[in-house]
Amino acid sequence: MANSVMMVFGTRPEAIKMAPLARVLREWPEVDLHICSTGQHREMLEQVLTAFGLSVDQDLKVMTQNQTLNGLARDLLGKLDQAYEQVKPDIVLVHGDTTTSFIASLAAFHRHIPIGHVEAGLRTGNLQQPWPEEANRRLTGVIANLHFAPTTKARDNLLREGVPLEQIEVTGNTVIDALLWMREHLTQTAWHPAADSPLHALQTDQRMVLVTGHRRENFGAGFERICLALAELALRYPDVQFVYPVHLNPQVQKAVYGLLSGRGNIHLVAPQDYQHFVWLMNRAHIILTDSGGVQEEAPALGKPVLVLRKVTERPSVLEGGTVKLVGTNTERIVRETGQLLDDPEAYQRMARVFTPFGDGHASEIIAERLSRWLEETAAKRDDA
Ligand code: UD1
Ligand code: UDP
């Protein structure tokens, strides 16, 4: 009889990073895959599902406008409990560090359902940055039974916290699977944004700086400083285009549209679906971001990245010299971006392909380890 594996995700990055694994597991006859979307995100999640041709078996539709962490956690806990009651999975797979990841793990733990944690073991060591994600990831790690660590550094973090070695598999990051798959698809189909896309009008002969920013710990003063830096850069470099797909979080929308609207060379656009966004990253000269996933993807494409954070839970990216932490200080963002725009040598030093997260086969490695775990668990059950 096939084993019941339930995958739970709810936000854009979780869906992008779980999609390649879902595609692999759907092909495995010994696995009966049930995909549950919590709906922590709505439009931004639908974009991913469409881009990967992925259908979900269940949608808990929890998102509300401007949701609070506690309101979201409360709704998730209740609805996931019912979902587990209905599906009765042999194992629940969660991803990363979101409220969905942690609450899906907690609800499974309360029902004695084993948990597999994809992208486990990343740490900054600082509970305030990223907030609340550092806590979500650590708490999930405490109750997970199988830990899929993207790098040996992540594995070592888990070992230091007392996780037994036999529960950890070093896998690479599934985001590289997703990225390479999408890039191949774009190349093969010679894909370009359609005429009705705001990206269609981008001048091909001008350099482009791609920006994303949405972290909760940057809300308020942090966002203001980032936007002031972008305004200053746009003024100093009128021949450079700044493209910012603005996250749908109302706090982000208010700050970004309030401070940056109406400038000729700043293009504020809606969040882009994955194919448009991979096209944008490929086309970018430099990327400024506070995103976790973009820090992993951009070095694989050879794009210099300035990270709008003080710390990163992905220290591997810093080793290649293609990613630099610049924080949210206005003057520093302007200086560092300016240097990359003005100094070709400084630019070339950072514009190199660097891939510490594997070669695009993380999903297969995870699926194989999961399959072994399912077999071992079934054997133990039979022995008992
Ligand atoms: C969440 C994750 C964060 C991740 C980010 C990815 C937590 C605590 N945070 O943060 O780790 O980096 O997603 O994007 O889980 N909204 C929409 N439509 C959407 C998505 C969001 O309108 O498709 C708006 C809603 O008003 C929602 C708000 O954004 O209430 C915030 O969404 P939420 O998931 O709570 O937080 P994020 O800041 O997106
Ligand atoms: N992304 C996207 N469209 C956008 C911005 C980002 O598809 O307009 C992708 C990006 O390529 C990466 C993921 O979304 O794979 C990162 O998500 P986000 O920055 O929201 O979350 P984080 O990674 O910080 O948790």
Tab-separated table of all heavy atoms in Angstrom, residues 178-218:
chain	number	residue	atom	x	y	z
A	178	ALA	N	14.264	24.554	-8.911
A	178	ALA	CA	13.199	25.377	-9.500
A	178	ALA	C	13.779	26.385	-10.485
A	178	ALA	O	13.276	26.551	-11.604
A	178	ALA	CB	12.432	26.107	-8.384
A	179	LEU	N	14.844	27.015	-10.075
A	179	LEU	CA	15.449	28.076	-10.897
A	179	LEU	C	15.974	27.524	-12.220
A	179	LEU	O	15.703	28.087	-13.290
A	179	LEU	CB	16.598	28.718	-10.103
A	179	LEU	CG	17.407	29.778	-10.832
A	179	LEU	CD1	16.586	31.048	-11.020
A	179	LEU	CD2	18.695	30.105	-10.075
A	180	LEU	N	16.718	26.415	-12.138
A	180	LEU	CA	17.317	25.876	-13.368
A	180	LEU	C	16.234	25.363	-14.313
A	180	LEU	O	16.324	25.516	-15.529
A	180	LEU	CB	18.338	24.769	-13.044
A	180	LEU	CG	19.542	25.232	-12.195
A	180	LEU	CD1	20.547	24.093	-12.027
A	180	LEU	CD2	20.222	26.464	-12.777
A	181	TRP	N	15.206	24.773	-13.717
A	181	TRP	CA	14.090	24.292	-14.535
A	181	TRP	C	13.432	25.463	-15.270
A	181	TRP	O	13.184	25.407	-16.474
A	181	TRP	CB	13.069	23.577	-13.640
A	181	TRP	CG	11.891	23.057	-14.389
A	181	TRP	CD1	11.819	21.891	-15.092
A	181	TRP	CD2	10.623	23.712	-14.528
A	181	TRP	NE1	10.576	21.778	-15.663
A	181	TRP	CE2	9.822	22.870	-15.328
A	181	TRP	CE3	10.082	24.909	-14.051
A	181	TRP	CZ2	8.514	23.194	-15.673
A	181	TRP	CZ3	8.773	25.243	-14.394
A	181	TRP	CH2	8.011	24.379	-15.191
A	182	MET	N	13.195	26.552	-14.536
A	182	MET	CA	12.522	27.705	-15.152
A	182	MET	C	13.423	28.380	-16.184
A	182	MET	O	12.964	28.778	-17.261
A	182	MET	CB	12.097	28.700	-14.061
A	182	MET	CG	11.278	29.860	-14.580
A	182	MET	SD	9.820	29.349	-15.537
A	182	MET	CE	8.646	29.011	-14.223
A	183	ARG	N	14.710	28.485	-15.874
A	183	ARG	CA	15.616	29.138	-16.830
A	183	ARG	C	15.678	28.343	-18.135
A	183	ARG	O	15.628	28.902	-19.224
A	183	ARG	CB	17.015	29.278	-16.225
A	183	ARG	CG	17.914	30.153	-17.098
A	183	ARG	CD	19.267	30.361	-16.495
A	183	ARG	NE	19.980	29.116	-16.309
A	183	ARG	CZ	21.244	29.040	-15.916
A	183	ARG	NH1	21.926	30.134	-15.659
A	183	ARG	NH2	21.840	27.876	-15.769
A	184	GLU	N	15.722	27.016	-17.990
A	184	GLU	CA	15.742	26.147	-19.169
A	184	GLU	C	14.459	26.344	-19.991
A	184	GLU	O	14.504	26.465	-21.215
A	184	GLU	CB	15.857	24.685	-18.675
A	184	GLU	CG	15.886	23.612	-19.725
A	184	GLU	CD	17.124	23.703	-20.606
A	184	GLU	OE1	18.096	24.353	-20.176
A	184	GLU	OE2	17.077	23.150	-21.731
A	185	HIS	N	13.354	26.396	-19.293
A	185	HIS	CA	12.065	26.591	-19.962
A	185	HIS	C	12.041	27.937	-20.717
A	185	HIS	O	11.591	28.008	-21.859
A	185	HIS	CB	10.962	26.533	-18.895
A	185	HIS	CG	9.611	26.955	-19.380
A	185	HIS	ND1	8.874	26.183	-20.238
A	185	HIS	CD2	8.890	28.079	-19.137
A	185	HIS	CE1	7.734	26.815	-20.500
A	185	HIS	NE2	7.730	27.971	-19.847
A	186	LEU	N	12.579	28.983	-20.073
A	186	LEU	CA	12.587	30.305	-20.714
A	186	LEU	C	13.494	30.284	-21.948
A	186	LEU	O	13.139	30.850	-22.995
A	186	LEU	CB	13.086	31.387	-19.748
A	186	LEU	CG	12.253	31.658	-18.485
A	186	LEU	CD1	12.810	32.842	-17.710
A	186	LEU	CD2	10.796	31.912	-18.817
A	187	THR	N	14.649	29.620	-21.822
A	187	THR	CA	15.584	29.577	-22.954
A	187	THR	C	14.978	28.795	-24.111
A	187	THR	O	14.988	29.243	-25.258
A	187	THR	CB	16.906	28.881	-22.522
A	187	THR	OG1	17.328	29.484	-21.311
A	187	THR	CG2	17.998	29.014	-23.566
A	188	GLN	N	14.443	27.622	-23.764
A	188	GLN	CA	13.912	26.760	-24.829
A	188	GLN	C	12.775	27.414	-25.597
A	188	GLN	O	12.609	27.192	-26.788
A	188	GLN	CB	13.415	25.457	-24.224
A	188	GLN	CG	14.544	24.457	-24.086
A	188	GLN	CD	14.035	23.115	-23.605
A	188	GLN	OE1	12.834	22.908	-23.487
A	188	GLN	NE2	14.954	22.211	-23.322
A	189	THR	N	11.987	28.198	-24.880
A	189	THR	CA	10.827	28.794	-25.546
A	189	THR	C	11.124	30.233	-25.998
A	189	THR	O	10.207	30.922	-26.446
A	189	THR	CB	9.604	28.801	-24.594
A	189	THR	OG1	9.996	29.456	-23.380
A	189	THR	CG2	9.111	27.414	-24.270
A	190	ALA	N	12.390	30.672	-25.848
A	190	ALA	CA	12.798	32.050	-26.188
A	190	ALA	C	11.788	33.044	-25.596
A	190	ALA	O	11.303	33.958	-26.261
A	190	ALA	CB	12.925	32.221	-27.697
A	191	TRP	N	11.511	32.861	-24.347
A	191	TRP	CA	10.418	33.565	-23.678
A	191	TRP	C	10.734	35.032	-23.424
A	191	TRP	O	11.854	35.370	-23.044
A	191	TRP	CB	10.137	32.851	-22.355
A	191	TRP	CG	8.891	33.319	-21.672
A	191	TRP	CD1	7.640	32.816	-21.815
A	191	TRP	CD2	8.800	34.372	-20.726
A	191	TRP	NE1	6.770	33.498	-21.030
A	191	TRP	CE2	7.455	34.468	-20.346
A	191	TRP	CE3	9.720	35.267	-20.173
A	191	TRP	CZ2	6.987	35.395	-19.430
A	191	TRP	CZ3	9.266	36.196	-19.263
A	191	TRP	CH2	7.906	36.255	-18.910
A	192	HIS	N	9.762	35.890	-23.633
A	192	HIS	CA	9.875	37.315	-23.315
A	192	HIS	C	8.568	37.803	-22.727
A	192	HIS	O	7.517	37.262	-23.056
A	192	HIS	CB	10.155	38.119	-24.601
A	192	HIS	CG	11.607	38.345	-24.804
A	192	HIS	ND1	12.260	39.446	-24.331
A	192	HIS	CD2	12.547	37.576	-25.407
A	192	HIS	CE1	13.550	39.355	-24.626
A	192	HIS	NE2	13.741	38.233	-25.280
A	193	PRO	N	8.606	38.816	-21.867
A	193	PRO	CA	7.337	39.321	-21.338
A	193	PRO	C	6.421	39.773	-22.485
A	193	PRO	O	6.900	40.361	-23.452
A	193	PRO	CB	7.769	40.526	-20.493
A	193	PRO	CG	9.197	40.295	-20.167
A	193	PRO	CD	9.770	39.534	-21.313
A	194	ALA	N	5.149	39.487	-22.346
A	194	ALA	CA	4.179	39.829	-23.399
A	194	ALA	C	3.999	41.343	-23.486
A	194	ALA	O	4.379	42.080	-22.572
A	194	ALA	CB	2.849	39.156	-23.098
A	195	ALA	N	3.402	41.782	-24.569
A	195	ALA	CA	3.254	43.222	-24.827
A	195	ALA	C	2.470	43.928	-23.717
A	195	ALA	O	2.680	45.118	-23.457
A	195	ALA	CB	2.567	43.421	-26.171
A	196	ASP	N	1.555	43.209	-23.033
A	196	ASP	CA	0.761	43.890	-21.999
A	196	ASP	C	1.461	43.880	-20.623
A	196	ASP	O	0.916	44.375	-19.638
A	196	ASP	CB	-0.639	43.267	-21.890
A	196	ASP	CG	-0.565	41.778	-21.530
A	196	ASP	OD1	0.547	41.212	-21.515
A	196	ASP	OD2	-1.648	41.202	-21.257
A	197	SER	N	2.687	43.334	-20.550
A	197	SER	CA	3.410	43.331	-19.271
A	197	SER	C	4.177	44.646	-19.109
A	197	SER	O	4.759	45.146	-20.074
A	197	SER	CB	4.404	42.163	-19.247
A	197	SER	OG	5.416	42.416	-18.304
A	198	PRO	N	4.220	45.190	-17.879
A	198	PRO	CA	5.002	46.424	-17.682
A	198	PRO	C	6.494	46.196	-17.940
A	198	PRO	O	7.235	47.143	-18.162
A	198	PRO	CB	4.747	46.780	-16.215
A	198	PRO	CG	4.153	45.576	-15.584
A	198	PRO	CD	3.530	44.756	-16.673
A	199	LEU	N	6.924	44.938	-17.946
A	199	LEU	CA	8.345	44.653	-18.177
A	199	LEU	C	8.704	44.758	-19.662
A	199	LEU	O	9.859	44.916	-20.028
A	199	LEU	CB	8.711	43.240	-17.688
A	199	LEU	CG	8.316	42.883	-16.263
A	199	LEU	CD1	8.892	41.522	-15.878
A	199	LEU	CD2	8.803	43.957	-15.282
A	200	HIS	N	7.680	44.653	-20.496
A	200	HIS	CA	7.901	44.674	-21.940
A	200	HIS	C	8.575	45.981	-22.371
A	200	HIS	O	9.386	46.009	-23.281
A	200	HIS	CB	6.551	44.519	-22.654
A	200	HIS	CG	6.682	44.332	-24.122
A	200	HIS	ND1	7.094	43.144	-24.681
A	200	HIS	CD2	6.492	45.189	-25.155
A	200	HIS	CE1	7.125	43.272	-25.987
A	200	HIS	NE2	6.779	44.506	-26.302
A	201	ALA	N	8.245	47.054	-21.657
A	201	ALA	CA	8.722	48.380	-22.066
A	201	ALA	C	10.128	48.701	-21.558
A	201	ALA	O	10.672	49.745	-21.880
A	201	ALA	CB	7.738	49.442	-21.535
A	202	LEU	N	10.739	47.791	-20.766
A	202	LEU	CA	12.072	48.089	-20.230
A	202	LEU	C	13.067	48.274	-21.372
A	202	LEU	O	13.086	47.485	-22.317
A	202	LEU	CB	12.555	46.941	-19.332
A	202	LEU	CG	11.863	46.789	-17.979
A	202	LEU	CD1	12.405	45.568	-17.255
A	202	LEU	CD2	12.053	48.043	-17.139
A	203	GLN	N	13.878	49.300	-21.262
A	203	GLN	CA	14.875	49.566	-22.307
A	203	GLN	C	15.948	48.483	-22.269
A	203	GLN	O	16.584	48.290	-21.238
A	203	GLN	CB	15.542	50.924	-22.060
A	203	GLN	CG	14.597	52.096	-22.101
A	203	GLN	CD	14.009	52.300	-23.474
A	203	GLN	OE1	14.671	52.011	-24.476
A	203	GLN	NE2	12.772	52.762	-23.535
A	204	THR	N	16.157	47.797	-23.368
A	204	THR	CA	17.118	46.691	-23.343
A	204	THR	C	18.563	47.180	-23.299
A	204	THR	O	19.463	46.450	-22.919
A	204	THR	CB	16.936	45.774	-24.565
A	204	THR	OG1	16.847	46.614	-25.706
A	204	THR	CG2	15.733	44.892	-24.447
A	205	ASP	N	18.800	48.430	-23.720
A	205	ASP	CA	20.185	48.906	-23.762
A	205	ASP	C	20.617	49.585	-22.455
A	205	ASP	O	21.719	50.072	-22.338
A	205	ASP	CB	20.371	49.873	-24.939
A	205	ASP	CG	19.368	51.022	-24.888
A	205	ASP	OD1	18.381	50.894	-24.134
A	205	ASP	OD2	19.592	52.041	-25.571
A	206	GLN	N	19.737	49.641	-21.474
A	206	GLN	CA	20.110	50.283	-20.205
A	206	GLN	C	20.357	49.246	-19.118
A	206	GLN	O	19.736	48.191	-19.100
A	206	GLN	CB	18.984	51.216	-19.753
A	206	GLN	CG	18.909	52.476	-20.589
A	206	GLN	CD	17.952	53.488	-19.986
A	206	GLN	OE1	17.044	53.132	-19.237
A	206	GLN	NE2	18.147	54.744	-20.319
A	207	ARG	N	21.242	49.605	-18.177
A	207	ARG	CA	21.477	48.687	-17.060
A	207	ARG	C	20.252	48.715	-16.122
A	207	ARG	O	19.587	49.745	-15.992
A	207	ARG	CB	22.731	49.101	-16.297
A	207	ARG	CG	23.986	48.861	-17.128
A	207	ARG	CD	25.227	49.259	-16.378
A	207	ARG	NE	25.253	50.678	-16.091
A	207	ARG	CZ	26.201	51.284	-15.369
A	207	ARG	NH1	27.192	50.569	-14.851
A	207	ARG	NH2	26.165	52.583	-15.152
A	208	MET	N	20.012	47.569	-15.495
A	208	MET	CA	18.821	47.489	-14.638
A	208	MET	C	19.199	46.972	-13.236
A	208	MET	O	19.957	46.004	-13.116
A	208	MET	CB	17.806	46.540	-15.285
A	208	MET	CG	16.469	46.489	-14.602
A	208	MET	SD	16.286	45.015	-13.625
A	208	MET	CE	15.867	43.844	-14.890
A	209	VAL	N	18.698	47.665	-12.234
A	209	VAL	CA	18.874	47.211	-10.850
A	209	VAL	C	17.531	46.656	-10.394
A	209	VAL	O	16.518	47.367	-10.433
A	209	VAL	CB	19.324	48.366	-9.931
A	209	VAL	CG1	19.392	47.900	-8.481
A	209	VAL	CG2	20.676	48.917	-10.383
A	210	LEU	N	17.532	45.380	-10.017
A	210	LEU	CA	16.287	44.740	-9.549
A	210	LEU	C	16.242	44.810	-8.024
A	210	LEU	O	17.245	44.548	-7.359
A	210	LEU	CB	16.290	43.279	-10.022
A	210	LEU	CG	15.125	42.404	-9.557
A	210	LEU	CD1	13.788	42.920	-10.087
A	210	LEU	CD2	15.337	40.954	-10.041
A	211	VAL	N	15.071	45.187	-7.498
A	211	VAL	CA	14.943	45.370	-6.048
A	211	VAL	C	13.777	44.544	-5.523
A	211	VAL	O	12.702	44.518	-6.141
A	211	VAL	CB	14.652	46.859	-5.712
A	211	VAL	CG1	14.639	47.081	-4.204
A	211	VAL	CG2	15.647	47.799	-6.387
A	212	THR	N	13.974	43.835	-4.397
A	212	THR	CA	12.815	43.317	-3.657
A	212	THR	C	13.047	43.591	-2.181
A	212	THR	O	14.193	43.629	-1.728
A	212	THR	CB	12.552	41.796	-3.838
A	212	THR	OG1	13.412	41.044	-2.978
A	212	THR	CG2	12.694	41.336	-5.268
A	213	GLY	N	11.946	43.793	-1.448
A	213	GLY	CA	12.077	44.038	-0.017
A	213	GLY	C	10.737	43.843	0.660
A	213	GLY	O	9.735	44.392	0.200
A	214	HIS	N	10.698	43.041	1.696
A	214	HIS	CA	9.414	42.815	2.378
A	214	HIS	C	9.551	42.397	3.834
A	214	HIS	O	8.549	42.099	4.486
A	214	HIS	CB	8.639	41.716	1.649
A	214	HIS	CG	9.282	40.357	1.802
A	214	HIS	ND1	10.290	39.924	0.993
A	214	HIS	CD2	9.071	39.363	2.697
A	214	HIS	CE1	10.670	38.715	1.361
A	214	HIS	NE2	9.952	38.351	2.410
A	215	ARG	N	10.760	42.358	4.380
A	215	ARG	CA	10.938	41.767	5.716
A	215	ARG	C	10.248	42.565	6.809
A	215	ARG	O	10.351	43.793	6.863
A	215	ARG	CB	12.431	41.679	6.058
A	215	ARG	CG	13.251	40.796	5.159
A	215	ARG	CD	13.897	39.683	5.944
A	215	ARG	NE	12.915	38.681	6.272
A	215	ARG	CZ	12.546	37.696	5.450
A	215	ARG	NH1	13.090	37.572	4.271
A	215	ARG	NH2	11.655	36.823	5.825
A	216	ARG	N	9.611	41.832	7.707
A	216	ARG	CA	8.886	42.487	8.806
A	216	ARG	C	9.814	43.294	9.703
A	216	ARG	O	9.428	44.346	10.208
A	216	ARG	CB	8.139	41.445	9.641
A	216	ARG	CG	6.858	40.986	8.975
A	216	ARG	CD	6.228	39.822	9.689
A	216	ARG	NE	5.063	39.364	8.943
A	216	ARG	CZ	3.810	39.729	9.210
A	216	ARG	NH1	3.541	40.522	10.206
A	216	ARG	NH2	2.812	39.276	8.474
A	217	GLU	N	11.050	42.807	9.924
A	217	GLU	CA	11.946	43.552	10.815
A	217	GLU	C	12.424	44.866	10.183
A	217	GLU	O	12.991	45.712	10.870
A	217	GLU	CB	13.130	42.694	11.283
A	217	GLU	CG	14.141	42.317	10.230
A	217	GLU	CD	13.796	41.007	9.520
A	217	GLU	OE1	12.617	40.594	9.555
A	217	GLU	OE2	14.710	40.408	8.923
A	218	ASN	N	12.187	45.041	8.866
A	218	ASN	CA	12.553	46.304	8.211
A	218	ASN	C	11.386	47.290	8.141
A	218	ASN	O	11.561	48.415	7.658
A	218	ASN	CB	13.068	46.044	6.780
A	218	ASN	CG	14.478	45.479	6.760
A	218	ASN	OD1	15.189	45.579	7.770
A	218	ASN	ND2	14.881	44.883	5.657
